[in-house]
Amino acid sequence: MTYQDLIDACQPQWQTYTHHSFVMQLGQGTLPHTCFMHYLKQDFLFLKQYARAYALAIYKARTLADMRRALPSVAALLDHEIAHHVDYCGAWHLTEQDMEQEAEDVATVAYTRYVLDAGMQGDIVDLYVALAPCAIGYAAIGNMLINDTQTVFDTNPYRSWIDLYSGEDYQQGVAAATVYLNNLLAEISVHSQRGQQLIQTFKVATEMEIAFWQQGLNVGVVDSE
Amino acid sequence: MTYQDLIDACQPQWQTYTHHSFVMQLGQGTLPHTCFMHYLKQDFLFLKQYARAYALAIYKARTLADMRRALPSVAALLDHEIAHHVDYCGAWHLTEQDMEQEAEDVATVAYTRYVLDAGMQGDIVDLYVALAPCAIGYAAIGNMLINDTQTVFDTNPYRSWIDLYSGEDYQQGVAAATVYLNNLLAEISVHSQRGQQLIQTFKVATEMEIAFWQQGLNVGVVDSE
Amino acid sequence: MTYQDLIDACQPQWQTYTHHSFVMQLGQGTLPHTCFMHYLKQDFLFLKQYARAYALAIYKARTLADMRRALPSVAALLDHEIAHHVDYCGAWHLTEQDMEQEAEDVATVAYTRYVLDAGMQGDIVDLYVALAPCAIGYAAIGNMLINDTQTVFDTNPYRSWIDLYSGEDYQQGVAAATVYLNNLLAEISVHSQRGQQLIQTFKVATEMEIAFWQQGLNVGVVDSE
Amino acid sequence: MTYQDLIDACQPQWQTYTHHSFVMQLGQGTLPHTCFMHYLKQDFLFLKQYARAYALAIYKARTLADMRRALPSVAALLDHEIAHHVDYCGAWHLTEQDMEQEAEDVATVAYTRYVLDAGMQGDIVDLYVALAPCAIGYAAIGNMLINDTQTVFDTNPYRSWIDLYSGEDYQQGVAAATVYLNNLLAEISVHSQRGQQLIQTFKVATEMEIAFWQQGLNVGVVDSE
């Protein structure tokens, strides 16, 4: 099987995730600022746990090649992606320390700990499948937004977010990651029990992504009440 | 420190959890049946993960005495508590297999995987502290409901739930568990970094319990719309 | 693939393990008592770690059926098998507490921690494959000894050991375990990368079994110098 | 407590480890080449597992600061230290691929999997304590050898090994690591149960280091028979 089989097996969830109202409003620049700030702070906490998950991938790897493959992801998460969030929030005088002290919301806990547990319970394939909706989905969203005629660029306050995830660096990183994921999946039949388990893991992780977007939107609802 | 220090350090969360509207409505028999059924099915899935966490406690134990201590908890969860839920749902022709196939909701994933990850990331003390809000809280709730003058017994459709958690078996089991937890905590100062970490873990786990009750209530809201 | 493929893939190691000089001397009652006592004390420590590994199998299981399957193994190890060793050593006034305080020798550490790490690094299949040489091998050894014309029964000081592992209880337990292992292996081709990984795990675990027997024999060599 | 308390609590083992005959012969250039080659190949396999253990430290860390602290160790192991071994063995036409295919000997399995399991079973403090005998011991050995009047430098075939572990880079890295370990231990009393557990872990890990040197020497014994 390939990563595309994972996506095909949960099309409704994948569409809801990659075209979530949070995403579309972000692309059009109409997303309430409180929603984006809440999301960004929670995503900062998410990235921290996500880096733990890539460290787990090094622990789970059987070969030096696989260990070395996961290492730059840990480094990139702890530096590059986190730095984007800190830079953005810095305009509101939030430091990295402030952001690390924020409380994790339910959907943040749900998604991150699901990935970590799926990876710990299973093997390195389970772990990468649980990680996949985030990387592949964000690349799909970045690509979708940059090609969407409704996307606003010049005056969009969330322009740096769109640039980050539609940028060459991120897109090429994910493209390489999908090649690797396909290697991991190559021996597994989509119709086997193992294949169905992996689909289940991918589906739950995608559902947790949806809950994560919704969590950001809900803040706006509460605020406007 | 003792387990009471954990509770004292997050009083607002503890009160919200143990006196949640879901609990009070359950005690008075006014909880919508859809809410209870949803909760029970999710709690079934919760207990399955919770049994994994007690199995992890055996793995994490350093002595035969500690290993043997966790074993009956795994057995009780896989048999006694799960059987209660299956028996109850059996009246609606749901089998254990049906219930195991249900999808986990966000708060179910959040709470269970948080406990499992806290236990895996830390040592056996972290694990038992993450497990504590459930056991201690349910015993406190069972005890509160049975003494609450507003609680309805004779015509309460949720009577078996109240009986289970206010019953001698459950109450004594939790009493023994708190003695054990106090042993685990005995050397740790509440004001140390280690003590503060444990408080943080207990607090987040309690917040996830609140989200779990709320998840049950939200079903009713959706249904009544 | 089946468990027999695992054995077939490492015949030299399997023969050395199941017909080790320690085993043959034990069957003939000629094994130095210091060797057997050392082995039994180390095997006690081994069983403790082995029980942790079966607890890990509950943690790693995805279904209630698989969780319930591993539970009796944990219970049997913590009670029945450990009790045999304590009973035997009791004749030399060693208590369970004494035995738990013994230091683990190198081969004991090597074998037990290899199994635990193989199970944690991989998934439940990796774990059961790492566990397999012990259960299957001891059943094969028990069966071989009871049918070996060179085996001494009446005056053999190690008779209770032969009885334990050749007995119906143990033999049937292992027979059921191999059926289960074959189920776990059913989807995996022996020629796949996954199949070869599992063979490698089984082979290393078998080599650690050999080192464990040798460790027992070496004590006699040191003593006789 | 401090890391020195760990060393003080197992002086006999520490002395045997840091002044092992393998080490002294290496310093004097009299170590049989087969012993050193065997050691180096096993140490290569050791470093691979050791890198998994530092990746586990990232997983186990609670703060971004602690996560970032472990990252360079993973990178250094996967690059710098492994490269030294590959460079050295390259003179005998062994490639990294050849070395990764070597079978792990018993003491290699024992030490590496003990560290990984101690870290997984316990928390980040247990993990760093299990890792400590290697880093601190090699720095002590490097320092001892360079100051030992019996050490041969100019014609010593193992000169690059002495240079690596006595060099400024390695010595300063370990010095920084001990400061960090002391921070982790600062709240723990040496006389507490927790302190005694950590001493036990350090002691077993040190015993596994001794077995690792002995494993190298034993090859020479076998060869000369």
Side-chain angles (χ1 to χ4, degrees):
Chain A
M1 67 192 292
T2 68
Y3 85 88
Q4 191 59 47
D5 292 314
L6 298 169
I7 295 175
D8 291 349
C10 57
Q11 267 303 311
Q13 289 88 351
W14 190 255
Q15 290 306 315
T16 304
Y17 161 40
T18 54
H19 293 77
H20 196 278
S21 181
F22 185 98
V23 172
M24 305 317 287
Q25 291 180 40
L26 185 155
Q28 292 157 32
T30 57
L31 184 70
H33 183 252
T34 49
C35 294
F36 188 72
M37 280 296 278
H38 185 78
Y39 155 77
L40 215 59
K41 288 191 264 181
Q42 291 298 311
D43 199 49
F44 172 92
L45 299 171
F46 172 92
L47 293 176
K48 178 179 166 181
Q49 301 299 324
Y50 213 61
R52 288 181 59 217
Y54 272 101
L56 188 61
I58 302 177
Y59 166 85
K60 290 258 164 180
R62 292 173 198 275
T63 63
L64 283 167
D66 282 348
M67 295 173 77
R68 286 173 178 147
R69 219 204 165 289
L71 186 60
S73 297
V74 181
L77 283 160
L78 290 178
D79 292 336
H80 191 56
E81 281 201 68
I82 278 182
H84 167 269
H85 290 42
V86 172
D87 283 353
Y88 189 94
C89 291
W92 283 268
H93 307 296
L94 284 168
T95 66
E96 187 180 292
Q97 282 72 24
D98 296 331
M99 293 172 81
E100 200 173 357
Q101 296 307 316
E102 289 280 324
E104 290 179 281
D105 266 7
V106 177
T108 313
V109 172
Y111 189 8
T112 54
R113 301 324 193 274
Y114 179 77
V115 170
L116 285 161
D117 182 59
M120 195 59 96
Q121 182 181 30
D123 68 6
I124 196 171
V125 187
D126 298 279
L127 176 54
Y128 274 109
V129 165
L131 285 163
C134 178
I136 298 174
Y138 269 53
I141 289 167
N143 197 46
M144 180 269 287
L145 286 180
I146 212 158
N147 291 304
D148 187 345
T149 55
Q150 294 201 282
T151 299
V152 171
F153 293 95
D154 288 351
T155 60
N156 194 329
Y158 314 123
R159 173 71 184 268
S160 71
W161 192 95
I162 300 173
D163 288 346
L164 176 63
Y165 294 108
S166 65
E168 271 305 285
D169 272 9
Y170 192 83
Q171 292 285 328
Q172 289 187 355
V174 173
T178 58
V179 171
Y180 180 63
L181 182 54
N182 281 349
N183 283 342
L184 291 175
L185 296 172
E187 284 187 350
I188 301 167
S189 162
V190 68
H191 301 299
S192 65
Q193 275 199 11
R194 179 81 176 115
Q196 293 299 305
Q197 278 172 358
L198 293 171
I199 284 170
Q200 173 66 10
T201 298
F202 188 84
K203 184 173 150 189
V204 174
T206 302
E207 288 168 345
M208 296 304 121
E209 283 279 12
I210 297 169
F212 197 77
W213 289 139
Q214 193 58 46
Q215 176 175 271
L217 273 194
N218 289 348
V219 174
V221 173
V222 171
D223 282 13
S224 65
E225 274 170 2
Chain B
M1 66 191 294
T2 69
Y3 84 88
Q4 191 59 47
D5 291 315
L6 298 169
I7 295 175
D8 291 349
C10 57
Q11 266 304 312
Q13 291 89 349
W14 190 255
Q15 290 306 315
T16 304
Y17 161 40
T18 55
H19 293 77
H20 196 277
S21 180
F22 185 99
V23 172
M24 306 318 288
Q25 292 181 40
L26 186 156
Q28 294 158 33
T30 57
L31 184 70
H33 182 253
T34 48
C35 293
F36 188 71
M37 281 296 278
H38 185 79
Y39 155 77
L40 215 59
K41 288 190 264 182
Q42 290 299 310
D43 199 48
F44 172 92
L45 299 170
F46 172 91
L47 293 176
K48 177 178 166 182
Q49 301 300 324
Y50 213 61
R52 288 180 61 215
Y54 272 101
L56 188 61
I58 302 177
Y59 166 86
K60 290 259 165 179
R62 292 172 198 275
T63 63
L64 284 168
D66 282 348
M67 295 172 78
R68 287 172 177 148
R69 217 202 168 289
L71 186 59
S73 297
V74 182
L77 283 160
L78 290 178
D79 292 335
H80 191 56
E81 281 201 68
I82 277 183
H84 168 269
H85 290 42
V86 172
D87 284 352
Y88 189 94
C89 292
W92 283 267
H93 308 295
L94 284 168
T95 65
E96 186 179 293
Q97 282 73 23
D98 295 332
M99 293 172 81
E100 199 172 358
Q101 296 307 316
E102 290 279 324
E104 291 180 281
D105 266 8
V106 177
T108 312
V109 172
Y111 190 8
T112 55
R113 300 322 192 278
Y114 179 77
V115 169
L116 285 160
D117 181 58
M120 196 59 97
Q121 182 182 29
D123 67 7
I124 196 171
V125 187
D126 297 280
L127 176 54
Y128 274 108
V129 165
L131 285 163
C134 178
I136 298 174
Y138 269 53
I141 289 167
N143 197 47
M144 180 270 286
L145 286 180
I146 212 159
N147 291 304
D148 186 345
T149 55
Q150 294 201 279
T151 300
V152 171
F153 292 96
D154 288 352
T155 59
N156 194 329
Y158 314 122
R159 174 70 184 269
S160 71
W161 192 95
I162 301 173
D163 288 347
L164 176 64
Y165 295 108
S166 64
E168 272 304 285
D169 272 10
Y170 192 83
Q171 292 286 327
Q172 289 186 356
V174 172
T178 56
V179 170
Y180 180 63
L181 182 55
N182 281 348
N183 283 342
L184 291 174
L185 297 172
E187 283 187 353
I188 301 166
S189 161
V190 69
H191 301 299
S192 66
Q193 276 200 10
R194 179 82 176 115
Q196 293 299 304
Q197 277 173 356
L198 294 171
I199 283 170
Q200 173 66 10
T201 298
F202 188 85
K203 185 173 148 187
V204 175
T206 302
E207 288 167 344
M208 296 304 120
E209 283 280 13
I210 296 168
F212 197 76
W213 289 139
Q214 193 58 45
Q215 176 175 271
L217 271 194
N218 289 349
V219 175
V221 172
V222 171
D223 282 13
S224 65
E225 272 171 4
Chain C
M1 64 192 295
T2 69
Y3 84 89
Q4 191 60 47
D5 291 316
L6 298 169
I7 295 174
D8 291 349
C10 57
Q11 266 304 311
Q13 291 87 353
W14 190 255
Q15 290 306 315
T16 305
Y17 161 41
T18 54
H19 294 75
H20 196 277
S21 181
F22 184 99
V23 171
M24 305 319 286
Q25 293 181 41
L26 186 155
Q28 294 158 33
T30 57
L31 185 70
H33 182 253
T34 48
C35 294
F36 188 71
M37 281 297 279
H38 186 77
Y39 156 76
L40 214 60
K41 288 190 264 182
Q42 290 299 310
D43 199 49
F44 172 92
L45 299 170
F46 172 90
L47 293 176
K48 177 179 166 182
Q49 301 300 324
Y50 213 61
R52 288 180 59 215
Y54 273 101
L56 188 61
I58 302 178
Y59 166 84
K60 289 257 165 179
R62 293 174 198 274
T63 63
L64 283 168
D66 282 348
M67 295 172 78
R68 287 173 178 148
R69 220 203 165 290
L71 186 59
S73 297
V74 182
L77 283 160
L78 291 177
D79 293 335
H80 191 56
E81 281 202 69
I82 277 183
H84 167 269
H85 290 42
V86 172
D87 284 352
Y88 190 94
C89 292
W92 284 267
H93 308 295
L94 284 168
T95 65
E96 186 179 294
Q97 282 72 24
D98 295 331
M99 293 172 80
E100 200 172 358
Q101 296 307 315
E102 291 279 324
E104 290 180 281
D105 265 8
V106 177
T108 313
V109 172
Y111 189 8
T112 55
R113 300 323 192 277
Y114 179 77
V115 170
L116 285 160
D117 182 57
M120 194 61 95
Q121 182 182 30
D123 68 6
I124 195 171
V125 187
D126 298 280
L127 176 54
Y128 274 109
V129 165
L131 285 163
C134 178
I136 298 175
Y138 270 53
I141 289 167
N143 196 46
M144 179 269 288
L145 286 181
I146 211 158
N147 291 304
D148 187 345
T149 55
Q150 294 200 281
T151 300
V152 171
F153 291 96
D154 287 352
T155 58
N156 193 329
Y158 314 123
R159 173 72 184 267
S160 71
W161 192 95
I162 301 173
D163 288 346
L164 176 64
Y165 294 108
S166 65
E168 272 305 284
D169 272 10
Y170 192 82
Q171 292 285 327
Q172 289 186 356
V174 172
T178 57
V179 171
Y180 180 63
L181 181 55
N182 281 349
N183 283 342
L184 291 175
L185 297 172
E187 284 186 351
I188 300 167
S189 162
V190 68
H191 302 298
S192 65
Q193 275 200 10
R194 180 82 176 116
Q196 293 300 304
Q197 277 172 358
L198 294 172
I199 283 170
Q200 173 66 10
T201 298
F202 187 85
K203 184 173 150 188
V204 174
T206 302
E207 288 167 345
M208 296 304 121
E209 283 280 12
I210 297 168
F212 197 75
W213 290 139
Q214 193 58 46
Q215 176 175 271
L217 273 194
N218 289 348
V219 175
V221 173
V222 172
D223 282 14
S224 64
E225 275 171 1
Chain D
M1 66 192 294
T2 69
Y3 84 89
Q4 191 60 46
D5 292 314
L6 298 169
I7 295 175
D8 291 348
C10 57
Q11 265 304 310
Q13 290 88 350
W14 191 255
Q15 289 306 315
T16 304
Y17 161 41
T18 54
H19 294 75
H20 196 277
S21 180
F22 184 100
V23 172
M24 304 318 287
Q25 292 181 39
L26 185 155
Q28 294 157 32
T30 58
L31 185 70
H33 183 253
T34 50
C35 293
F36 188 71
M37 280 296 278
H38 186 77
Y39 155 77
L40 215 59
K41 287 190 263 182
Q42 291 298 310
D43 199 50
F44 172 92
L45 299 171
F46 172 91
L47 293 176
K48 178 178 166 182
Q49 302 299 325
Y50 213 61
R52 288 180 60 217
Y54 272 101
L56 187 61
I58 302 177
Y59 166 86
K60 290 258 163 179
R62 292 173 198 277
T63 64
L64 284 168
D66 282 348
M67 296 172 77
R68 286 172 178 149
R69 220 205 164 287
L71 186 59
S73 297
V74 181
L77 283 160
L78 290 177
D79 292 336
H80 191 57
E81 281 202 68
I82 277 183
H84 166 269
H85 290 41
V86 172
D87 283 353
Y88 189 94
C89 293
W92 285 266
H93 307 296
L94 285 168
T95 66
E96 186 180 292
Q97 282 73 23
D98 295 331
M99 294 173 80
E100 200 172 358
Q101 296 307 315
E102 290 279 325
E104 290 180 280
D105 265 7
V106 177
T108 313
V109 172
Y111 189 8
T112 55
R113 301 321 193 276
Y114 179 77
V115 169
L116 285 160
D117 181 59
M120 196 59 97
Q121 182 181 29
D123 68 5
I124 196 171
V125 187
D126 298 279
L127 177 54
Y128 274 108
V129 165
L131 286 163
C134 179
I136 298 175
Y138 270 53
I141 289 166
N143 197 46
M144 179 270 286
L145 287 180
I146 212 158
N147 291 304
D148 187 346
T149 55
Q150 294 200 282
T151 299
V152 170
F153 292 95
D154 288 352
T155 60
N156 194 328
Y158 314 123
R159 173 70 184 269
S160 71
W161 192 95
I162 301 173
D163 288 346
L164 176 62
Y165 295 109
S166 66
E168 270 305 285
D169 272 10
Y170 192 82
Q171 292 286 326
Q172 289 187 355
V174 173
T178 56
V179 170
Y180 180 62
L181 182 54
N182 281 348
N183 283 343
L184 291 175
L185 297 172
E187 283 186 353
I188 300 168
S189 162
V190 69
H191 302 299
S192 65
Q193 275 200 9
R194 180 80 176 118
Q196 293 299 305
Q197 278 173 358
L198 294 171
I199 283 170
Q200 173 66 10
T201 298
F202 188 86
K203 184 174 149 186
V204 175
T206 302
E207 287 167 345
M208 297 303 121
E209 284 279 12
I210 297 168
F212 197 76
W213 289 138
Q214 193 60 44
Q215 175 175 271
L217 273 194
N218 289 348
V219 174
V221 173
V222 171
D223 283 12
S224 65
E225 273 171 0

